[in-house]
Amino acid sequence: MASSLYLCLLRAVFLVCFVNPLIQGLSGDANVVQNPHHELEENLTGLPIVTFKWHHVQTPYLVIIWVFVAGLAKLSVIELNHHVTSVIPESGLLIILGFILGGIVWGADKAQTFKLLPPTFFYYLLPQIILDASYFMPNKLFFSNLGAILIYAIFGTCWNAATVGLSLWGCYEAGAMGNLDIGLLQFLLFGSLIAAVDPVAVIAVFEEVHVNEVLFILVFGESLLNDGVTVVLYNVFDAFVALGGPKIDAAEIFKGIFSFVVVAFGGSFLGVVFAILLSLLTRCTKHIQIIEAGFVFVVGYLAYLTAEMLSLSAILSITFCGICCQKYVNANMDEKSVTTVRHAMKVLANGSETMIFVFLGVTAIDTEIWIWNTGFILLTLLFVFIYRIIGVFLLTWMLNKFRLVPIEVIDQVVMSYGGLRGAVAYGLAAMLDEDKIPEKNLMISTTLIVVYFTVILQGLTMKPLVQWLKVKRAAHSDLKLIEKLNNRAFDHILAAVEDICGRIGDNWWTRGWNRFEENYISWLLMKPKARRNRDYLFSIFHKLNLEDAVNYVSEGERQGSLGFIRSDEAANVDFKKQFGSEFTDVMPDIMVDMSNYELEIENFSATSIVKDTIPSVSLDIHGQDRKNAVDDINAHHLLQQHLYRSRKNHRHKYSRSHFSINQSEDEVQEIFQRTMRSRLESFKSAKMGVNPAKKITKHHKKELTHKMANGHPDGTGHLYGDEVDSAVGSETGAIRGTFMRDTYTVGAGIENPVFLPDMDSPTHSSLPWLMETEAVAPSQRAQRRLPWTPNRLRRLAPMRISTCSTDSFLMADLEEHEEQPQTDHEEIRPAFD
Amino acid sequence: MGSRASSLLREEDIEEIKKETGFSHSQITRLYSRFHSLDKGENGALSREDFQRIPELAINPLGDRIINAFFPEGEDQANFRGFMRTLAHFRPVEDNEKNKDLTSGEPLNSRTNKLLFAFRLYDLDRDDKISRDELLQVLRMMVGVNISDEQLGSIADRTIQEADTNGDMCISFSEFIKVLEKVDVEQKMSIRFLH
């Protein structure tokens, strides 16, 4: 609470200090003319060191200040006492903050200098929100409820517009509003602009409430699409108003309906076209990965503007662009770019959402727009509320006749209550032409009141309502492989049963579409490589493994060591076990260092693994039976992984277009090849009883001196000799410990490892996780399939090291897995080089 | 054809099937006509071949497994009663049925029975356990050829791990129910039968 107060104060001071003089500067136009004159005069007296050039930067400066203020507003709202935020939704709080800010500006300026102007809203604030919403739309859910969503969006909106407009007109005729200069058409126009449920407000409120997914998609999908519909309706009625009552005949009405259809479907179609364009574009951006993420935004915005230019529905256009392209774009782009898009999109959307709410508040503090007409305002509120409820129940009643799972009454109540109006309505109201509609300001103030009423009051009561009605909440979100597998199986089963019943049903269509999509659309829009790698189950599996890997490492880091997985109960204490526990002495050091990577691991490692080198390993964190047995090796792998990184530290260079150093394939290949070679050699020699350690170390040392400016401490040679004997005493452990520290200081001195993006995908992605479960667990399963045997490497080999002959790997395949401990042991060596 | 088919169906049978499966009268006659048209041998029962003749089933990855589900153990004929009993698993759960459950035993379209149907698709040897091999077979049917055997193996392992609570590396039916408890099976294993 204190912090938020502080923030508020800060902002107030900020506004008074900065914005005020700016505004005064703004208000006097003469200043602009005078200023150059001043500069000129000063120039005569001598060369100015610094000049105050406010007017050069005025517009962008004001814009960015407001963005900054909105950001602070959001921050203070979030940081506010949790008792407050849990009761009042964020959107409402932002509007209230907007009131305060608007009050400050008004108090200083005696007029509202800053308003949310329709062009700003429609061109700069709205597109990214819609794009964000559609790009992350859960497609399957959306399309499987598309029928219902469309009915709500199209018929629901028309119903709302018509009934609200007509009822208001009826009341006006009955004399409930006194003397106003509004005709039937104007009422209908007003009805159409107030009809749409606003996606921004809906997302803001419903995301906090966590209702079940079907309810969410219905409300959200409706709000998204009916924005488009309402804009179209608005334009049609606007045209009618411009035309004037008497001139409207049947033909004009027919043209209006026709243009409604053309504008709505044309916009959607245009969006699909742009989605195809975008998907095709991302097929060939392999070499400019650094900017490919930008294309998503640019093409999306282009879809919006083009539709606007053709006077088609821009909102629908960008919506369908986002919905249709997401699958192909995500598959085509590098995973890093996908992450970039995801985060950037969220930043933009959240930012403009905040701006919108704040400005909705700021705009209200203005004496000019407020015209009070009790009858009009209260009746509008009443009708908006009532007709929403009637509309929802009526349409749901019809829909439920055709739905497999009917929409329950409780859900209907929440749907009708969730009819929040927002900035779109305000934007449309502000766009009204004062010449044609004399009562524009009354409409604006009514719209604002409706917006405040729905967003603040209904938003406030939404959560208690949902709790009170016991609405089915969203199910858990952590997905399981078995659930996904069975969901797929269910789909197949249903399709088969429908075939057997000889009925063409939803599943038939879904399946037909899926097949068509797979055969033709994916072929056209997806990279061949992405297409090949795209297997539903496998990608889930891959994702889960990555998640586990990240969790696993961060969990280990959180605890300071990997001790959390080591258990004394493990029965088989072999030399590896001891070996591992020796390492625990060393671990804290590394852990300290590893913590630097935390950020990096979370942000990058999950995404940095190149798509075609998906590791096919199961990370058995959940495997309870093996939990105790697995593990010591993890320590080794953390080491190994870590050392690979540090070895590369010195190679980091700044580059604008190359983000991660390890993209350079040669280096990866080189290291991998070398590691493999040394491993195989020692492997063979271990069998033959020859100790190859010295040779190998030399080999490595030579290479290392090339690579590392400050070579290695002496004495590494005999260290390796010891190691091969697998007689690891505490002494060696100690030496190794110091050795490790040395390496680290060396690395850290040259380059801060924090700035290293994740790298070394072959070793990083496959080694640790491969090892971890399989090598140690002596389970039946492990014996059946030992990924860390060179056999597994051979599978990986063709992908990464084309030059390495497969023969050696084949040879290695002959090794029995009894040799496994030794192999593991040997593997550590590269880590020490 | 429909009328001829339904004429072969006696009213008593319809009543019994209605009671057993919960289908409506019209649904039963409709499905009987479908049954009859599938029955190329015209012997009042469907053979595997009759099912396999449905073209879409041939391209359904689980097609053969689903066909098997229509045949009780050891039999190679499915009569109309059995046919309807199997289809009844996919009837959506209706509101008024939820209350009725308590009195008249478990209906065929209950959650447990829907899950049991899915479970049986995996459990080929009917030992009430899905072993790794059984799971692998189904996975092989459902994933593309791009996935190697090793990758598939690790997918299977992970899947088993998620469900396996007693550590026997198999998924028993109770484990199966447990792990899918959050899945909306009632909805996902239901189709709309025309009235």
Side-chain angles (χ1 to χ4, degrees):
Chain A
M1 198 65 202
S3 65
S4 66
L5 265 179
Y6 171 72
L7 275 169
C8 285
L9 262 176
L10 192 104
R11 204 171 32 254
V13 170
F14 190 87
L15 269 167
V16 174
C17 296
F18 278 84
V19 183
N20 263 356
L22 312 189
I23 294 158
Q24 270 142 26
L26 207 154
S27 54
D29 226 15
N31 281 3
V32 189
V33 192
Q34 278 176 6
N35 214 28
H37 200 65
H38 278 295
E39 276 176 32
L40 243 154
E41 268 175 36
E42 278 169 33
N43 276 348
L44 289 175
T45 55
L47 189 75
I49 312 275
V50 275
T51 46
F52 184 70
K53 297 201 271 188
W54 159 244
H55 288 284
H56 283 267
V57 292
Q58 182 181 350
T59 316
Y61 206 92
L62 280 178
V63 168
I64 214 69
I65 289 272
W66 272 109
V67 172
F68 181 67
V69 168
L72 283 184
K74 177 122 179 164
L75 181 68
S76 55
V77 163
I78 297 277
E79 291 293 319
L80 209 65
N81 196 318
H82 286 289
H83 293 297
V84 181
T85 39
S86 63
V87 177
I88 309 173
E90 207 187 294
S91 44
L93 281 174
L94 285 174
I95 290 184
I96 294 168
L97 258 177
F99 290 155
I100 300 170
L101 287 176
I104 295 171
V105 172
W106 196 78
D109 230 16
K110 300 288 172 263
Q112 192 49 269
T113 332
F114 299 102
K115 277 188 206 174
L116 186 56
L117 295 174
T120 320
F121 173 70
F122 282 108
Y123 293 143
Y124 304 113
L125 292 176
L126 189 61
Q128 58 264 43
I129 296 181
I130 307 278
L131 185 64
D132 169 72
S134 57
Y135 191 78
F136 297 105
M137 178 73 77
N139 262 359
K140 193 177 173 200
L141 205 57
F142 178 76
F143 282 109
S144 57
N145 290 298
L146 186 63
I149 292 172
L150 281 178
I151 295 218
Y152 285 126
I154 297 174
F155 294 102
T157 309
C158 293
W159 157 268
N160 278 347
T163 49
V164 171
L166 287 175
S167 309
L168 282 176
W169 179 67
C171 291
Y172 168 69
E173 290 291 301
M177 296 172 204
N179 196 15
L180 287 175
D181 188 9
I182 305 181
L184 172 62
L185 279 174
Q186 278 95 331
F187 272 115
L188 284 174
L189 180 60
F190 178 69
S192 71
L193 73 85
I194 205 85
V197 176
D198 186 63
V200 186
V202 164
I203 302 168
V205 170
F206 273 72
E207 266 185 357
E208 290 179 35
V209 182
H210 299 296
V211 293
N212 64 70
E213 53 179 16
V214 175
L215 179 56
F216 180 76
I217 202 76
L218 285 178
V219 179
F220 175 48
E222 180 207 348
S223 65
L224 200 57
L225 294 187
N226 76 6
D227 263 4
V229 174
T230 203
V231 173
V232 176
L233 262 185
Y234 172 87
N235 286 337
V236 170
F237 280 114
D238 199 33
F240 279 159
V241 170
L243 212 60
K247 283 194 198 145
I248 296 169
D249 50 16
E252 293 297 333
I253 291 174
F254 179 77
K255 259 159 75 184
I257 294 170
F258 186 68
S259 98
F260 175 84
V261 174
V262 168
V263 168
F265 284 89
S268 316
F269 177 75
L270 194 73
V272 175
V273 170
F274 272 94
I276 292 172
L277 263 178
L278 180 57
S279 310
L280 285 175
L281 193 66
T282 50
R283 265 188 73 151
C284 40
T285 50
K286 196 180 164 211
H287 298 292
I288 47 161
Q289 272 174 11
I290 204 77
I291 62 159
E292 70 184 349
F295 281 126
V296 178
F297 300 95
V298 172
V299 176
Y301 196 43
L302 212 53
Y304 187 86
L305 291 182
T306 312
E308 192 67 45
M309 180 180 75
L310 300 174
S311 72
L312 300 173
S313 168
I315 297 177
L316 287 177
S317 170
I318 198 169
T319 304
F320 277 91
C321 180
I323 289 178
C324 296
C325 77
Q326 51 165 275
K327 180 178 177 185
Y328 310 104
V329 168
N330 281 340
N332 283 343
M333 286 196 309
D334 187 70
E335 282 195 42
K336 275 189 216 113
S337 313
V338 174
T339 316
T340 311
V341 169
R342 189 166 56 222
H343 289 217
M345 196 92 91
K346 290 289 171 206
V347 170
L348 285 176
N350 266 314
S352 35
E353 190 187 300
T354 311
M355 296 277 294
I356 288 172
F357 283 125
V358 169
F359 270 100
L360 274 179
V362 170
T363 312
I365 311 299
D366 187 3
T367 39
E368 274 178 32
I369 56 164
W370 286 107
I371 293 175
W372 190 265
N373 183 319
T374 319
F376 188 75
I377 290 171
L378 288 185
L379 281 171
T380 309
L381 269 179
L382 182 76
F383 288 141
V384 161
F385 191 70
I386 287 180
Y387 285 120
R388 167 82 186 170
I389 296 177
I390 296 178
V392 166
F393 275 82
L394 208 69
L395 290 172
T396 317
W397 174 74
M398 291 195 295
L399 276 171
N400 272 351
K401 298 195 160 190
F402 302 100
R403 278 181 73 88
L404 175 63
V405 185
I407 300 163
E408 286 168 32
V409 181
I410 291 176
D411 287 359
Q412 295 176 40
V413 172
V414 175
M415 276 187 75
S416 15
Y417 201 69
L420 309 177
R421 268 53 167 193
V424 171
Y426 169 74
L428 290 176
M431 260 169 46
L432 289 173
D433 188 351
E434 214 156 345
D435 300 337
K436 283 180 262 172
I437 297 143
E439 303 289 348
K440 178 186 172 184
N441 279 340
L442 176 62
M443 288 190 180
I444 293 184
S445 32
T446 312
T447 312
L448 279 176
I449 287 180
V450 171
V451 170
Y452 299 144
F453 180 81
T454 53
V455 172
I456 299 178
L457 277 182
Q458 286 182 209
L460 188 77
T461 43
M462 180 60 88
K463 216 180 232 175
L465 182 81
V466 166
Q467 273 159 0
W468 181 62
L469 289 174
K470 296 194 181 68
V471 176
K472 246 201 274 170
R473 296 300 192 92
H476 69 126
S477 55
D478 67 324
L479 84 187
K480 284 184 182 158
L481 198 55
I482 189 164
E483 291 174 357
K484 293 287 168 183
L485 170 67
N486 276 301
N487 284 347
R488 263 298 149 101
F490 293 157
D491 288 347
H492 288 309
I493 293 170
L494 291 191
V497 171
E498 282 194 350
D499 293 334
I500 289 169
C501 300
R503 183 177 163 268
I504 292 177
D506 309 333
N507 293 299
W508 189 86
W509 289 106
T510 318
R511 199 194 40 197
W513 164 254
N514 282 344
R515 199 171 302 138
F516 174 73
E517 199 264 354
E518 206 141 295
N519 290 344
Y520 301 102
I521 301 184
S522 293
W523 172 80
L524 180 70
L525 299 181
M526 247 189 230
K527 277 183 192 167
K529 201 187 269 171
R531 206 162 57 235
R532 241 181 290 123
N533 281 331
R534 190 179 58 112
D535 187 276
Y536 177 77
L537 277 175
F538 189 73
S539 61
I540 300 269
F541 174 68
H542 175 51
K543 207 162 82 191
L544 285 171
N545 273 343
L546 282 177
E547 256 170 39
D548 279 357
V550 172
N551 289 341
Y552 181 77
V553 172
S554 43
E555 174 70 2
E557 284 168 22
R558 197 175 59 76
Q559 308 223 352
S561 88
L562 287 183
F564 73 103
I565 28 153
R566 191 172 293 119
S567 161
D568 297 328
E569 292 146 34
N572 51 342
V573 184
D574 55 1
F575 82 96
K576 245 185 296 162
K577 173 84 181 169
Q578 294 167 1
F579 190 75
S581 46
E582 296 302 334
F583 266 83
T584 18
D585 306 338
V586 189
M587 285 319 280
D589 277 2
I590 293 143
M591 282 312 165
V592 173
D593 214 66
M594 279 302 284
S595 60
N596 290 338
Y597 284 108
E598 195 167 350
L599 193 138
E600 178 190 314
I601 283 168
E602 287 189 349
N603 289 341
F604 285 97
S605 67
T607 52
S608 68
I609 292 159
V610 203
K611 278 185 186 158
D612 43 343
T613 58
I614 296 169
S616 67
V617 211
S618 185
L619 182 64
D620 290 312
I621 291 180
H622 306 302
Q624 296 183 342
D625 54 328
R626 247 162 294 125
K627 217 171 189 169
N628 302 333
V630 183
D631 342 318
D632 299 331
I633 292 300
N634 293 313
H636 306 188
H637 282 286
L638 267 175
L639 281 178
Q640 190 176 21
Q641 175 190 349
H642 200 53
L643 280 168
Y644 265 123
R645 287 168 195 239
S646 72
R647 177 192 288 178
K648 294 220 156 178
N649 282 354
H650 62 288
R651 283 207 208 110
H652 187 221
K653 275 191 208 121
Y654 173 75
S655 157
R656 238 176 67 189
S657 53
H658 290 285
F659 202 39
S660 85
I661 6 165
N662 232 36
Q663 289 297 60
S664 124
E665 304 268 316
D666 294 344
E667 290 177 6
V668 180
Q669 275 195 12
E670 186 188 299
I671 292 190
F672 192 72
Q673 228 169 326
R674 196 199 314 141
T675 316
M676 288 304 111
R677 206 184 304 130
S678 75
R679 233 171 254 170
L680 276 168
E681 263 175 56
S682 53
F683 203 58
K684 274 185 264 167
S685 57
K687 278 220 113 183
M688 292 184 293
V690 183
N691 189 343
K694 293 237 159 82
K695 197 187 88 204
I696 292 172
T697 1
K698 266 180 201 155
H699 172 67
H700 279 278
K701 268 186 90 174
K702 216 196 291 173
E703 283 197 18
L704 270 165
T705 37
H706 286 300
K707 309 230 163 205
M708 275 203 177
N710 326 359
H712 268 261
D714 295 335
T716 39
H718 71 79
L719 187 69
Y720 288 114
D722 287 350
E723 214 184 289
V724 176
D725 294 340
S726 78
V728 188
S730 55
E731 195 192 325
T732 349
I735 296 171
R736 198 176 293 123
T738 51
F739 170 46
M740 293 299 306
R741 278 183 206 108
D742 285 350
T743 324
Y744 271 91
T745 42
V746 165
I750 296 171
E751 206 108 37
N752 189 349
V754 179
F755 295 113
L756 277 185
D758 201 354
M759 43 205 266
D760 220 344
S761 35
T763 42
H764 173 74
S765 64
S766 48
L767 297 186
W769 322 118
L770 275 166
M771 289 292 302
E772 192 231 324
T773 57
E774 306 303 337
V776 198
S779 73
Q780 200 188 2
R781 190 160 69 68
Q783 297 193 357
R784 202 176 305 152
R785 173 180 73 81
L786 283 167
W788 192 241
T789 53
N791 167 37
R792 179 53 67 116
L793 289 175
R794 187 177 42 138
R795 193 183 57 72
L796 297 169
M799 290 192 253
R800 306 203 182 99
I801 30 167
S802 46
T803 49
C804 199
S805 81
T806 35
D807 293 3
S808 51
F809 288 118
L810 278 172
M811 276 174 61
D813 266 357
L814 300 175
E815 304 291 346
E816 290 300 323
H817 60 263
E818 289 95 80
E819 298 293 330
Q820 195 61 30
Q822 267 141 359
T823 353
D824 293 339
H825 187 119
E826 298 290 339
E827 265 168 39
I828 294 145
R829 176 163 329 102
F832 289 95
D833 291 347
Chain B
M1 168 133 177
S3 61
R4 190 177 65 91
S6 55
S7 67
L8 292 173
L9 200 61
R10 288 173 312 176
E11 278 301 314
E12 309 89 271
D13 290 340
I14 294 181
E15 279 307 310
E16 265 179 58
I17 291 170
K18 215 161 135 183
K19 209 179 281 171
E20 189 180 25
T21 63
F23 281 116
S24 72
H25 193 285
S26 63
Q27 282 171 330
I28 294 171
T29 48
R30 189 187 300 275
L31 285 169
Y32 187 73
S33 80
R34 174 67 181 170
F35 178 82
H36 200 75
S37 71
L38 287 177
D39 181 17
K40 300 284 188 237
E42 307 237 323
N43 52 4
L46 298 181
S47 65
R48 275 171 214 275
E49 288 74 35
D50 288 329
F51 280 107
Q52 280 156 5
R53 235 173 263 128
I54 303 172
E56 289 88 355
L57 278 188
I59 47 169
N60 191 315
L62 296 177
D64 284 343
R65 293 291 176 103
I66 291 155
I67 293 175
N68 277 342
F70 280 85
F71 296 95
E73 224 167 330
E75 287 178 41
D76 50 3
Q77 294 286 308
N79 61 16
F80 186 59
R81 287 286 290 272
F83 181 74
M84 292 302 284
R85 212 179 294 125
T86 312
L87 289 183
H89 287 96
F90 299 96
R91 226 160 45 78
V93 185
E94 281 155 27
D95 284 340
N96 52 11
E97 278 175 305
K98 280 176 187 160
N99 313 324
K100 219 170 68 182
D101 281 2
L102 304 166
T103 51
S104 62
E106 195 151 24
L108 284 167
N109 62 349
S110 72
R111 181 186 173 89
T112 317
N113 277 327
K114 281 176 194 289
L115 278 174
L116 189 61
F117 185 91
F119 185 80
R120 292 251 186 266
L121 291 189
Y122 298 95
D123 185 23
L124 269 193
D125 56 9
R126 305 230 164 173
D127 62 350
D128 284 329
K129 272 183 183 153
I130 302 174
S131 69
R132 185 172 184 271
D133 285 333
E134 285 168 340
L135 184 61
L136 263 182
Q137 284 180 32
V138 176
L139 279 171
R140 194 25 100 197
M141 293 177 193
M142 284 176 59
V143 303
V145 284
N146 297 318
I147 305 295
S148 73
D149 286 338
E150 290 141 17
Q151 289 170 325
L152 209 61
S154 39
I155 293 183
D157 287 334
R158 180 162 185 139
T159 312
I160 289 181
Q161 261 171 43
E162 283 177 350
D164 189 21
T165 49
N166 59 7
D168 62 354
M169 300 314 280
C170 290
I171 304 174
S172 68
F173 185 54
S174 57
E175 286 166 347
F176 191 73
I177 293 180
K178 183 88 178 71
V179 79
L180 293 180
E181 66 183 347
K182 285 177 182 153
V183 177
D184 193 2
V185 180
E186 287 92 338
Q187 187 186 336
K188 285 183 172 144
M189 281 282 278
S190 298
I191 63 171
R192 268 185 316 129
F193 291 94
L194 293 178
H195 290 290

